Amino acid sequence: MTLISSSHKTTSRETVILILKANLGAGCLALPYSCSLLGAQQCVIPVLLISCITIYNMNLVVSCKHKINAHLEMNKNKNKNINSSNSNNNTKSKPINTSTTNTITDSTNNSTNSNSNTNNHLTYGDIAAHAFGPRGKKIIDFFLLFLQLSICTVFISFVSNNILSLFPSHQTLTYLRIIMALLLVPLLAIVTNLRTMQKLSPLAAVAFGMMMLGLLMIFVLCILQTQYEYVPPGYHVHRIKTDNMTIWLFISTVMYAFEGIGCILPIESAMLHPEQYTVCLMIGMGCVTMIYISIAEFCLMAYHYIDDGSIIKFLQIYYSTAARQIDIVMMIVNLLVTLSILLSYPLQLYPATEVIDQYVSEHYRKQVTETHKTLNIDDNSSIDVSVASDDGYGDMGMGDIDGYGGDYGDMGMGRGMGRVRGISDVSDAIEMGIYASTD
């Protein structure tokens, strides 16, 4: 799990910006098309309903996280009390080596601090692990990775296609799209080095400003269109008949538009004042819902029907024969939205990198633990043998060994008779590298 220090916490204003930008992505540009499948009047209530369900789920998953944190904190306090009582009893019964005590205390403090930090930041997989066990964690982590990486893939495709749309003579060449996507990888690799929400918040603010400026210019075009009712020559609307498939297409597109649901746990965990999360969520998602409905209604009132999955591409085709000024405006809109999506990439990738980091760190921790166990066995694998004089006894090993058979093996050195409990032969004890007790 990722540990978040207080210096990397975000304010309430930064949290609202992160929520806004996490949801205002490529999905909102497809809402005019999906809403045109149902109509301007029929799409408002379903969008509001899906928005309410999304907000409820965002609040519910954070509430589950807080419940689990409280449960883990209670168990930690119980274990701490039990360990302290046991240590007091052991102290009264027998003396403890000072160096050993210091080592145990230090390790306990380190584990306590680590647990307190970790409990404050749970992933979706951690919540699933408490609800369904390890298998549930793997399933949820898989779906979260699939969701976030799919969104990031759409972002790369969207950015490469929009850049090529600035060059109409080359935008139909497939190999140029692939080359453009590959050229974006080094830039995205640099941007994704911002691994905390506090560092991502300025980037999200710039991306949100660019997106809002691009959408504002689209609103202005829609208002001008309603006044002048420009129709390009030879333009013909290809309406799709509404049936069950179009209804499911509408629902899936609107649900995809709320693409920030996978980022909500990392955003809440990074808050400096998590008690203000509900207020920030309502403000952020309320603004997102209004923007979604506004962009869909404005476009439908101006153009009546949108026959392309991206409103930007639709407007570029619609005004391809219009005045040069409109073409320049569309190029600016395209550039602003493209840069906004590009800067949103690390925010959408954050939950996926979090899951990957968790599995890598757990694998590394297991290797370190196995190495320590091996080193401890090697350190304890020596057996001390001291032979006294003729009247003395030979001692071999220290402590009792239980669970390796039921016989007692007798041995002697000089006049001393040794007896090993639980191992039938001293050679077995030497080969296993354990200490044996002799009488």
Side-chain angles (χ1 to χ4, degrees), residues 235-289:
Y235 179 75
H236 179 69
V237 176
H238 301 280
R239 292 185 177 273
I240 300 177
K241 184 180 179 181
T242 302
D243 53 11
N244 293 332
M245 291 301 297
T246 56
I247 293 176
W248 284 113
L249 179 60
F250 163 79
I251 294 175
S252 60
T253 306
V254 175
M255 291 181 66
Y256 171 74
F258 292 95
E259 56 197 39
I261 192 170
C263 302
I264 203 66
L265 268 185
I267 291 175
E268 189 274 338
S269 298
M271 290 185 67
L272 185 61
H273 303 288
E275 65 276 3
Q276 299 177 0
Y277 163 75
T278 304
V279 177
C280 295
L281 179 67
M282 294 301 173
I283 294 174
M285 294 306 298
C287 294
V288 168
T289 305

Side-chain angles (χ1 to χ4, degrees), residues 47-119:
V47 171
L48 286 174
L49 180 61
I50 295 175
S51 176
C52 292
I53 294 174
T54 303
I55 295 172
Y56 174 77
N57 288 333
M58 288 179 174
N59 197 36
L60 182 63
V61 71
V62 173
S63 300
C64 293
K65 173 202 158 184
H66 291 163
K67 293 283 186 181
I68 294 172
N69 274 336
H71 179 70
L72 293 176
E73 188 70 21
M74 182 178 62
N75 290 339
K76 186 180 70 175
N77 293 332
K78 287 182 179 179
N79 294 332
K80 188 185 296 184
N81 295 332
I82 293 173
N83 292 333
S84 61
S85 61
N86 291 336
S87 62
N88 292 333
N89 294 333
N90 294 333
T91 304
K92 293 179 182 179
S93 61
K94 61 180 181 179
I96 301 177
N97 190 359
T98 306
S99 61
T100 305
T101 305
N102 294 335
T103 304
I104 294 174
T105 304
D106 294 339
S107 63
T108 303
N109 292 334
N110 293 335
S111 63
T112 302
N113 295 333
S114 176
N115 288 336
S116 61
N117 291 332
T118 302
N119 290 343

Side-chain angles (χ1 to χ4, degrees), residues 176-311:
L176 286 180
R177 297 183 182 181
I178 298 175
I179 293 174
M180 186 62 62
L182 293 176
L183 290 176
L184 292 173
V185 173
L187 178 61
L188 295 175
I190 296 174
V191 177
T192 51
N193 285 326
L194 302 175
R195 301 299 298 275
T196 61
M197 286 294 174
Q198 193 270 338
K199 293 180 180 179
L200 287 174
S201 57
L203 205 65
V206 174
F208 174 70
M210 290 182 175
M211 177 63 76
M212 290 306 301
L213 186 57
L215 293 179
L216 182 61
M217 296 178 73
I218 293 176
F219 289 151
V220 173
L221 283 176
C222 292
I223 294 173
L224 294 175
Q225 175 66 23
T226 55
Q227 291 179 354
Y228 296 101
E229 296 183 352
Y230 170 78
V231 179
Y235 179 75
H236 179 69
V237 176
H238 301 280
R239 292 185 177 273
I240 300 177
K241 184 180 179 181
T242 302
D243 53 11
N244 293 332
M245 291 301 297
T246 56
I247 293 176
W248 284 113
L249 179 60
F250 163 79
I251 294 175
S252 60
T253 306
V254 175
M255 291 181 66
Y256 171 74
F258 292 95
E259 56 197 39
I261 192 170
C263 302
I264 203 66
L265 268 185
I267 291 175
E268 189 274 338
S269 298
M271 290 185 67
L272 185 61
H273 303 288
E275 65 276 3
Q276 299 177 0
Y277 163 75
T278 304
V279 177
C280 295
L281 179 67
M282 294 301 173
I283 294 174
M285 294 306 298
C287 294
V288 168
T289 305
M290 289 190 295
I291 293 172
Y292 283 177
I293 295 176
S294 299
I295 187 66
E297 293 296 320
F298 269 73
C299 292
L300 290 180
M301 286 189 297
Y303 304 100
H304 306 293
Y305 187 80
I306 311 297
D307 58 358
D308 195 281
S310 174
I311 184 61

Side-chain angles (χ1 to χ4, degrees), residues 400-412:
D400 293 333
I401 307 299
D402 295 322
Y404 293 92
D407 298 328
Y408 289 89
D410 296 334
M411 53 155 279

